[in-house]
Amino acid sequence: MTPINHVAGRAIPFGRKNVDTDVIIPAQYLKTITREGLGRGAFETIRREPGNIFDTPEFAGAPILLAGDNFGCGSSREHAAWALLDLGLICVIAPSFSDIFSGNAFKNGILTVVLPQDAVDRLMEVAQSHPIDVDLESQTVTTPFQDRFTFEIDAFRKHCLLEGLDEVGLTLAQGDIIAAHEGRLRADLPFLASANA
Amino acid sequence: MPNTNNSGPRTLYEKIWDAHVVERRDDGTCLVYIDRHLVHEVTSPQAFEALRVAGRKVRRPDLTLAVPDHNLPTTARRDAAGKPIPIADAESAAQLDALTRNAPAFGIRLIGDADAEQGIVHVVGPEQGFSLPGATIVCGDSHTACHGGLGALAFGIGTSEVEHVLATQTLLLKQSKSMEVRVEGDLGPGVSAKDVVLHITGVVGAAGGTGYVIEYTGSAIRDLSIEGRLTISNMAIEHGARAGLVAPDETTFAYVKGRPYAPKGADWDKAVAWWQSLASDPGATYDKVVVINAADIQPTVTWGTSPEDTVAIGGVVPSPDSFADESKRQAAAKSLDYMGLTPGQRMVDVEVQNIFIGSCTNSRIEDLRAAAEVLRGRHKAANVKWAIVVPGSGLVKAQAEAEGLHTVFIEAGLEWREPGCSACLGMNPDKVPAGERCASTSNRNFVGRQGPGARTHLVSPAMAAAAAVTGRLTDVRELMR
């Protein structure tokens, strides 16, 4: 996973509340076999509207998305996180996120930043014309106008994001205790320890 | 046992949990060992892709079993010459092809579409003895709770978790709260396991089990066959619980014994002794208890677009105003609009144009027997345009044919299909047309679940058969002989 610390650049001032995963990536895109390329279906219904914020040239390649309350609610599809990554979005700032979405985002190296609504409102204003700056190490979001907002993040998640550690890699590093458990299983519950037809 | 956190009398869930904790962390997160992993074609391609990109292997391919089910057509898969018939939908074909390539590439056994044992993962696992009591079982599918009917701790996972299990045979989890749903007494004639679980879902609510693992107890549950128990635990997720389970007993042991993957010889005796020790201890407590009187359960149908929208077949469509909660009032009004129903309308007056007998909830041999019993010597009504019976596996299909059940279905005007998930979610060509109704033995009546605009009424197999005969939702007890 790509380590993430400093994210600086334009932020898409989206701001909508209760954006569900069907809006982020519609169900017809679930029949894929790769994580790449889902950007073509991301926010499809919104992007059908002429002049929508996602296809405004000055936000092309923006790494940050500003969203409203309860971002990522609905189905558990991980495709929502993959779709954002494919659009180049690596940080989402909102007043709140659905639990499942923020877990999926984390597992894919996307930083989700929770800030109060008034802070998000201010960032929405700045983002219309200026870049913003997110620093994970110091847990701050700043603007060229001296705005400075701090955010909370789970210490384990912060560590993983900063180091680019993925959960699979971390657990693989515990191979010895997993092997010890398998040893106990073979001794105590051999019928669970292996499956033979 | 390692890392036991639960002291004193323990529940079935706590005993299985304790036996599988590899490591407990300070914040309560546990690294939990997974005994059996079922893989299908929809949620696995990106997990295999991630392993490949990172140069990682599958830790225990021998504890992993791959079975395609969601995308497979249920029409003939081979032509007269025995050659595979290509799948029309390119994306379905690509997902199936990916599983066919990934399983052998990572050393995993694949039960493919040409194999006699192929079927819905949640039917195949128990049928093969791959799913065992006391085991932790996962699959990238929310109906994995199904295997809990054997007394396993089974639950659905996302694609990143599929990758995590493939690579490490473990998951990072926090222990859930426990709930007991006790159903005491005898079920009346015409009342099946499906009616019990629909009734439970109505009582507990679609989100009532969120954060809990449910143990189904009581004489009505103990009296059920394994097929019936699998039907109950299958729908644990429909009342919000990630897992639901029934304590293993003599009925369970008799079901498991002799199946291809079942323990043999000395291992079998050891297994039975351990399984017998798993029943919740006297004095073990649950965080929440729900008690249901079996005599209160009628043949049950759904009227709305959430599985909690249940009503006895003799009842009427409720008025949105009858709900205390404002958000439920709004949801009910929206549901009735989608379903094309009016408050006060009798459920038995609702006409259906489609019948689906199948899905991981109700496609086992007992389900087919119950449906055939109602259909024997009868014919579907003229207004029923499409009626299909989709066995849960190739072995269920073969058993049904040995008993002549397929002839009963065909003579009644129903189609006898190949095994798979089919019209439960319509990822394959089996869909219900927009605006039409389906009496369906599946598990979800969500908006668009069986096809865009499709209107689903969840019922038991016998009730689906009764609806086929009369062309409307019907109390099966009126057709019983």
Side-chain angles (χ1 to χ4, degrees), chain B residues 149-379:
Chain B
L150 291 168
L153 177 59
F155 50 89
I157 56 177
T159 296
S160 278
E161 292 172 307
V162 170
E163 179 194 345
H164 197 276
V165 176
L166 287 172
T168 71
Q169 205 58 33
T170 64
L171 275 178
L172 285 162
L173 297 169
K174 282 187 175 165
Q175 194 172 340
S176 301
K177 292 180 283 185
S178 63
M179 185 191 298
E180 179 187 23
V181 174
R182 192 160 70 230
V183 188
E184 292 286 3
D186 296 325
L187 298 176
V191 178
S192 72
K194 180 62 165 289
D195 301 299
V196 175
V197 76
L198 286 172
H199 185 88
I200 291 172
T201 305
V203 171
V204 174
T210 303
Y212 292 89
V213 163
I214 296 178
E215 182 179 347
Y216 303 98
T217 68
S219 59
I221 302 291
R222 277 199 305 278
D223 289 346
L224 289 174
S225 65
I226 293 303
E227 284 84 352
R229 295 179 191 181
L230 292 167
T231 297
I232 304 257
S233 52
N234 178 274
M235 287 185 66
I237 189 72
E238 307 314 333
H239 33 276
R242 202 171 180 192
L245 58 177
V246 178
D249 59 9
E250 294 302 326
T251 306
T252 319
F253 311 149
Y255 175 92
V256 173
K257 192 168 189 180
R259 293 187 181 267
Y261 282 93
K264 290 162 191 78
D267 271 0
W268 172 259
D269 298 332
K270 210 166 181 175
V272 170
W274 186 60
W275 293 338
Q276 283 170 330
S277 76
L278 292 176
S280 294
D281 295 325
T285 54
Y286 301 84
D287 297 300
K288 191 171 173 181
V289 178
V290 174
V291 182
I292 290 168
N293 182 355
D296 292 343
I297 305 174
Q298 305 291 313
T300 300
V301 297
T302 60
W303 53 265
T305 56
S306 165
E308 71 180 14
D309 297 337
T310 62
V311 62
I313 182 64
V316 299
V317 176
S319 162
D321 297 336
S322 65
F323 297 98
D325 179 57
E326 173 57 25
S327 69
K328 182 67 197 174
R329 278 199 290 276
Q330 286 178 8
K334 228 171 135 184
S335 282
L336 292 187
D337 182 49
Y338 179 83
M339 293 296 291
L341 296 171
T342 46
Q345 188 176 354
R346 298 195 315 158
M347 292 315 296
V348 292
D349 291 337
V350 175
E351 286 198 13
V352 295
Q353 299 79 35
N354 304 274
I355 305 290
F356 172 57
I357 299 174
S359 87
C360 57
T361 314
N362 279 131
S363 62
R364 284 166 278 267
I365 190 67
E366 269 193 12
D367 301 317
L368 304 189
R369 286 177 189 146
E373 177 62 26
V374 175
L375 287 164
R376 197 180 300 276
R378 294 186 167 124
H379 199 273

Side-chain angles (χ1 to χ4, degrees), chain A residues 2-8 62-65 84-85 87-92 105 108-112 161:
Chain A
T2 316
I4 184 168
N5 180 12
H6 202 81
V7 186
I64 303 167
L65 180 69
L84 295 185
L85 278 180
L87 281 186
L89 291 165
I90 54 172
C91 175
V92 187
N108 288 280
I110 296 173
L111 173 61
T112 54
L161 289 169

Side-chain angles (χ1 to χ4, degrees), chain A residues 30-32 34-36 78 82 107 166 168-169 171-172 174 178-179 181-182 187 190-194 197, chain B residues 19 23 25 33 36 46 49-50 56 59-60 71 89 92 95 160 163-164 167 170 260-261 267 270-271 427:
Chain A
L30 303 189
K31 286 171 89 165
T32 64
T34 67
R35 297 179 192 224
E36 280 82 41
E78 205 162 316
W82 302 335
K107 287 184 169 95
D166 66 299
V168 174
T171 306
L172 280 172
Q174 294 190 287
I178 298 171
H181 182 88
E182 287 173 331
F191 47 91
L192 288 186
S194 64
Chain B
E23 184 195 49
R25 297 184 182 160
Y33 197 78
R36 301 289 185 268
Q46 289 91 347
E49 180 195 32
R56 289 168 177 160
R59 183 181 177 89
R60 294 294 303 272
N71 283 282
D89 182 313
S92 286
Q95 286 196 331
S160 278
E163 179 194 345
H164 197 276
T170 64
Y261 282 93
D267 271 0
K270 210 166 181 175
M427 276 190 84

Side-chain angles (χ1 to χ4, degrees), chain A residues 9-102:
Chain A
R10 295 304 295 271
I12 302 174
F14 181 40
R16 197 177 291 194
K17 286 182 203 260
N18 294 316
V19 171
D20 62 47
T21 52
D22 267 288
V23 171
I24 300 173
I25 185 80
Q28 72 258 31
Y29 293 97
L30 303 189
K31 286 171 89 165
T32 64
I33 57 168
T34 67
R35 297 179 192 224
E36 280 82 41
L38 287 167
R40 72 195 150 90
F43 301 103
E44 187 179 68
T45 48
I46 292 168
R47 292 170 76 180
R48 283 203 199 107
E49 300 161 13
N52 75 81
I53 196 89
F54 290 97
D55 293 318
T56 305
E58 63 174 306
F59 294 114
I64 303 167
L65 180 69
L66 296 169
D69 252 330
N70 202 22
F71 185 80
C73 57
S75 105
S76 63
R77 65 189 66 159
E78 205 162 316
H79 303 65
W82 302 335
L84 295 185
L85 278 180
D86 202 56
L87 281 186
L89 291 165
I90 54 172
C91 175
V92 187
I93 303 175
S96 67
F97 293 89
S98 98
D99 280 347
I100 294 178
F101 173 80
S102 63

